[in-house]
Amino acid sequence: MTGNAETLIHDITETDQAVVAAFGDRMVDTLNSGALALMVSVGHRTGLFDTMAEMPAATSAQIAERAGLNERYVREWLGAMTVGNIVENDPSGKTYYLPREHAASLCRKSPTDNIAVFAQYIPLLGSVEDDIVHCFRNGGGVPYERFERFHEVMAEDSGQSVVPALETDILPLVPGLIERLERGIRVLDVGCGRGRALNKLARLFPNSQFTGYDISEDAVRYASQEARALGNDNTTFQVFDVSDLEHSGRPGPYHLITTFDAVHDQRDPLAVLRGIRKTLADDGVYLAQDIKGSSHHHSDRDHPIGPLLYTISCMHCMTVSLAQDGEGLGAMWGREKALEYFRESGFRNIDVHELEHDFQNYWYVCRP
């Protein structure tokens, strides 16, 4: 036994054993929760939660048949759901049932946020763990193209949190904005992803013109296809690295510029914000959604999903920026840093809002 090991054993025996035991139990809970999150993601992607929500208690064979899936895999998945106390199991009839109260947080027709959508981040980020470990040892970052489903999951996330609230909660943060959109203004969405928000706005306000920029060719292709399918002739999506917006000479000005959870993972966030200010009309408004948090770790201890957000930051937002030799600001850059950057970019009038239904984000309304 090495000296270090002997020292560790001695130190442990001198500590509060109740605390040691409690923390060990907590780590076991963490392992179980992580595993369950993976299986919840599988249940979402295969449609099993949606299928079970519309069924009475049924056997694994009946559930598999209704869902069009392999029974053996469904049966094992139901085992995880049973021991995880997500579905109810009647051993006498060998049936399984998804309670309505649980379905409310797990189905695509959920009246509240579908938590199963967020569970997808766990396997998605796990797929690049080897790359991230390499970066811990050697620096650098993991490029966007390694995250094959990220824009798909983000679009689902946005589709249930941002898009439904645009007309009722988000646009009213700017007095008079809806009326201006109805009359007709030019709108730019920076880092538009799959364009769910912009395409919704284009349908709501046919007299306005909408442009979306994103670095991902796949995301822009998807957004453009959706725009055509919806008949949004007032919408254009373009592949463009928005870190170059400040010096690109691209046409402007725009009367409304938006970023939905898109600044912190850019190669050069400050350059993006300067570009937004330069491209914004003097009477325009910049509306930014970004992660609710502090620029200081200790102040985020009580954040309801703090560990999840820091994990997403480390394994996506920060690293995709570093992969471009960027700043690597990360999702948890925080309100203090955000306000500093907005002011440094030329915005003098900044209001910070929180929405009752949204504990994850701040909403910044910025004017020159």
Side-chain angles (χ1 to χ4, degrees):
M1 183 179 297
T2 65
N4 287 340
E6 291 174 346
T7 301
L8 178 59
I9 291 172
H10 174 74
D11 288 346
I12 289 175
T13 60
E14 295 297 317
T15 60
D16 187 331
Q17 291 303 303
V19 174
V20 171
F23 185 76
D25 290 343
R26 177 188 166 195
M27 289 297 97
V28 172
D29 289 342
T30 297
L31 289 174
N32 281 326
S33 296
L36 203 56
L38 176 57
M39 298 307 280
V40 167
S41 176
V42 170
H44 174 73
R45 295 183 66 186
T46 57
L48 275 164
F49 290 126
D50 301 313
T51 297
M52 292 187 69
E54 298 178 355
M55 295 182 70
T59 66
S60 61
Q62 291 169 329
I63 294 168
E65 182 179 6
R66 177 77 70 89
L69 300 170
N70 180 278
E71 187 276 337
R72 183 65 190 92
Y73 280 90
V74 170
R75 191 182 350 141
E76 204 72 5
W77 177 84
L78 286 166
M81 294 299 102
T82 297
V83 300
N85 295 311
I86 291 177
V87 305
E88 295 179 356
N89 170 231
D90 177 6
S92 61
K94 296 183 179 180
T95 60
Y96 303 86
Y97 174 67
L98 180 64
R100 286 193 299 266
E101 295 82 359
H102 296 187
S105 297
L106 294 170
C107 295
R108 288 174 171 83
K109 294 182 180 179
S110 168
T112 59
D113 282 351
N114 180 1
I115 304 302
V117 169
F118 296 94
Q120 296 176 98
Y121 286 116
I122 304 305
L124 175 63
L125 299 176
S127 70
V128 298
E129 181 187 11
D130 287 347
D131 305 79
I132 293 293
V133 170
H134 175 84
C135 292
F136 266 79
R137 292 173 173 149
N138 300 283
V142 183
Y144 275 106
E145 53 266 26
R146 285 286 289 119
F147 299 85
E148 294 184 2
R149 295 189 61 243
F150 197 83
H151 279 292
E152 176 186 343
V153 175
M154 282 292 293
E156 243 191 311
D157 182 345
S158 173
Q160 70 175 10
S161 58
V162 174
V163 176
L166 278 169
E167 193 173 11
T168 56
D169 296 279
I170 298 170
L171 296 180
L173 293 175
V174 185
L177 179 57
I178 290 178
E179 291 76 13
R180 294 186 71 185
L181 285 162
E182 288 173 341
R183 290 194 299 269
I185 58 175
R186 300 183 69 223
V187 180
L188 173 65
D189 187 19
V190 174
C192 63
R194 287 192 167 190
R196 294 289 300 275
L198 206 64
N199 272 318
K200 172 70 176 290
L201 290 173
R203 293 200 308 279
L204 288 173
F205 304 106
N207 292 330
S208 291
Q209 296 295 316
F210 299 87
T211 301
Y213 293 153
D214 200 275
I215 197 173
S216 168
E217 293 183 9
D218 288 341
V220 167
R221 186 181 306 112
Y222 187 98
S224 300
Q225 290 172 349
E226 184 177 71
R228 288 193 294 270
L230 294 170
N232 287 345
D233 297 331
N234 57 339
T235 309
T236 302
F237 293 96
Q238 300 175 23
V239 177
F240 177 60
D241 184 347
V242 294
S243 291
D244 298 326
L245 182 60
E246 181 182 11
H247 303 294
S248 68
R250 292 200 164 221
Y254 290 93
H255 307 95
L256 170 65
I257 299 180
T258 57
T259 55
F260 297 106
D261 197 16
V263 173
H264 58 255
D265 57 358
Q266 300 298 328
R267 170 168 53 88
D268 189 343
L270 196 53
V272 172
L273 293 171
R274 288 196 301 264
I276 288 172
R277 172 62 191 95
K278 182 178 179 181
T279 310
L280 186 69
D282 289 339
D283 64 345
V285 61
Y286 167 41
L287 176 61
Q289 169 211 1
D290 221 293
I291 298 299
K292 181 179 179 179
S294 167
S295 301
H296 310 288
H297 292 170
H298 67 278
S299 297
D300 287 327
R301 282 182 175 272
D302 295 327
H303 198 297
I305 54 172
L308 175 63
L309 293 174
Y310 272 100
T311 299
I312 294 174
S313 180
C314 179
M315 300 192 70
H316 179 269
C317 307
M318 180 187 76
T319 195
V320 295
S321 174
L322 293 174
Q324 304 172 71
D325 295 323
E327 181 175 354
L329 192 57
M332 300 303 285
W333 60 323
R335 174 174 173 153
E336 298 91 337
K337 178 67 73 173
L339 290 173
E340 174 191 332
Y341 274 31
F342 291 146
R343 293 189 183 105
E344 191 171 339
S345 302
F347 293 101
R348 298 291 175 262
N349 188 339
I350 306 168
D351 296 320
V352 186
H353 299 271
E354 298 180 51
L355 298 178
E356 186 175 352
H357 75 281
D358 182 4
F359 63 79
Q360 182 176 325
N361 297 292
Y362 285 126
W363 295 84
Y364 300 94
V365 176
C366 308
R367 296 180 177 85

